[in-house]
Amino acid sequence: STRAQLFNHNTVMMLAVSAAAWCVLRALQSPLRRWWVAAGVAAGLAMLSKYQSVVPLAGIVVALMLAGELASRRTRGGIVLAAAVAALVFAPHLAWMLQHDLTTLRYAAQEGPPLSWAERAFSVVSFLAQQVRLLFPSLLFALLLWLLPGLRKQPGSDADDAGAPRRRAWFIGLIVFPLVVTLLTCPAFGLKLQNHWGYQCLQFVALWLAWRLRGVLQRAPRTIVMLALLVQALSMAVAAKPSWTRETQPGRRVDGQYPARQLAAAVQADWHAVTECPLRVVVGPSFEAGMVSVYAPRPPKVLEGGDFRKSPWVQPHELQRDGAVYVATEPSQLPSHAVRVGSLPVGAAAGG
């Protein structure tokens, strides 16, 4: 399931947000309006990939404000131009949303009952711990560089860097602001923080580390290369740890160990054992049904949980006309009108 976990809408969002930030920086250095237009296109694409991209995009505006760039009339006009272009890019999707009763917003709002205050505190701590785990190789590398004699940053070195305040403003806007806003959604609205929300907060951390460690490469290039190789080797060793050495709780799904290809192949085999028609619709939980779609030769549509409101791309008449495969983690969750029960127990993939 690695492909679906790594290459999804979060990947597109990170690319688009990075492009928007880069175009804004170029626009500040160029008299040409085309960079503001490009920033607007990138921002619109980011919004199309994921609504949550509005948080890091707002962080770009915060960075401009903290850096004093908004004092320029030209910059303010550029932001308005970029916002107009982004709205134009997003307009077709907005029209589709209005035609479908804002189904995407209603889907995003279906997060269940608000968490208790104790659960909110645990969610924040768990979220931060997960982000530290993901950033651990980079943080370890930076720590090793800082601990080595002669490689520490010299006191007062920022005083000679006229661009330091401006860079600091950008790092606050691109990293601190999205992280704070994301964390506040939990206590403010009682939402459980999802680990993948960290992508929108921490995608620029590597730039911050590179800035903090600037100048070190010239002083000890061989040492740095050796440390980088060591950290990379340790990271690969941990990632390649055999699955049988990892303890899992019964009933808990481990995405990295999920037999997605096996499930998709079993579904295809069971479907074609009954009919020669192509499989066009898979019904079930978003993850399991999504894995079948991702690894199918011709990806079928996913009807999440059998709810047409959650999957407006599937119409009831398509289900009647083409049939479907129902994927469930428990046999009791299969519909009573199922023609045949498949050959692969999906629940086994969850460790239960």
Side-chain angles (χ1 to χ4, degrees):
S1 62
T2 303
R3 185 170 71 186
Q5 289 294 308
L6 297 180
F7 302 105
N8 51 29
H9 58 304
N10 290 305
T11 309
V12 178
M13 179 194 68
M14 293 171 64
L15 176 62
V17 170
S18 298
W22 183 74
C23 289
V24 169
L25 287 172
R26 291 300 302 268
L28 295 174
Q29 302 170 357
S30 172
L32 301 177
R33 291 180 176 268
R34 64 185 182 187
W35 288 111
W36 289 110
V37 174
V41 172
L45 293 176
M47 286 293 296
L48 288 175
S49 65
K50 198 171 185 180
Y51 298 159
Q52 288 174 329
S53 63
V54 69
V55 176
L57 291 175
I60 296 177
V61 179
V62 171
L64 291 172
M65 179 185 67
L66 295 178
E69 301 288 356
L70 295 185
S72 168
R73 181 178 179 181
R74 175 178 166 275
T75 300
R76 295 195 300 270
I79 293 176
V80 172
L81 175 60
V85 173
L88 186 63
V89 173
F90 190 73
H93 178 66
L94 178 60
W96 180 90
M97 289 172 58
L98 296 175
Q99 293 174 0
H100 292 80
D101 194 25
L102 301 177
T103 182
T104 51
L105 291 180
R106 289 189 290 105
Y107 172 75
Q110 294 176 358
E111 295 289 344
L115 300 177
S116 66
W117 285 106
E119 291 172 330
R120 298 180 196 191
F122 178 79
S123 180
V124 170
V125 173
S126 176
F127 175 81
L128 290 174
Q130 176 68 7
Q131 305 315 309
V132 171
R133 185 184 73 85
L134 293 175
L135 291 172
F136 183 75
S138 298
L139 296 176
L140 176 61
F141 178 66
L143 177 63
L144 292 175
L145 287 180
W146 186 82
L147 291 176
L148 285 177
L151 292 185
R152 295 187 186 183
K153 185 180 173 184
Q154 298 300 322
S157 58
D158 276 348
D160 300 328
D161 187 356
R166 182 170 178 265
R167 294 190 187 96
R168 190 174 295 109
W170 274 92
F171 288 128
I172 291 175
L174 294 178
I175 301 174
V176 178
F177 175 80
L179 180 60
V180 170
V181 171
T182 300
L183 291 176
L184 288 178
T185 59
C186 182
F189 303 105
L191 298 178
K192 180 181 179 181
L193 296 176
Q194 304 297 321
N195 290 330
H196 60 265
W197 291 357
Y199 296 148
Q200 68 195 30
C201 310
L202 304 175
Q203 68 180 91
F204 294 104
V205 166
L207 290 179
W208 176 78
L209 289 174
W211 177 54
R212 298 300 300 175
L213 299 173
R214 65 193 185 281
V216 176
L217 182 60
Q218 289 79 6
R219 295 200 297 270
R222 292 184 179 180
T223 302
I224 291 178
V225 171
M226 293 300 296
L227 284 177
L229 292 176
L230 174 62
V231 172
Q232 181 66 18
L234 290 174
S235 302
M236 294 179 64
V238 172
K241 188 177 180 181
S243 60
W244 55 267
T245 64
R246 302 174 184 172
E247 296 182 0
T248 59
Q249 299 177 1
R252 180 181 179 183
R253 186 185 73 214
V254 181
D255 293 354
Q257 303 175 28
Y258 195 85
R261 296 180 185 273
Q262 182 184 359
L263 174 61
V267 166
Q268 290 287 332
D270 289 332
W271 173 263
H272 290 296
V274 176
T275 177
E276 296 182 357
C277 297
L279 176 60
R280 301 185 186 277
V281 181
V282 179
V283 185
S286 59
F287 182 87
E288 287 78 7
M291 290 298 98
V292 174
S293 178
V294 166
Y295 288 100
R298 294 183 178 180
K301 298 179 181 179
V302 174
L303 178 56
E304 184 178 348
D307 190 342
F308 292 99
R309 295 173 301 175
K310 292 184 177 181
S311 307
W313 46 83
V314 181
Q315 299 300 319
H317 73 271
E318 294 181 82
L319 214 59
Q320 295 290 335
R321 181 192 64 197
D322 302 325
V325 165
Y326 287 78
V327 180
T329 55
E330 296 291 341
S332 59
Q333 298 172 352
L334 292 172
S336 57
H337 60 272
V339 175
R340 172 182 174 180
V341 177
S343 59
L344 179 66
V346 180

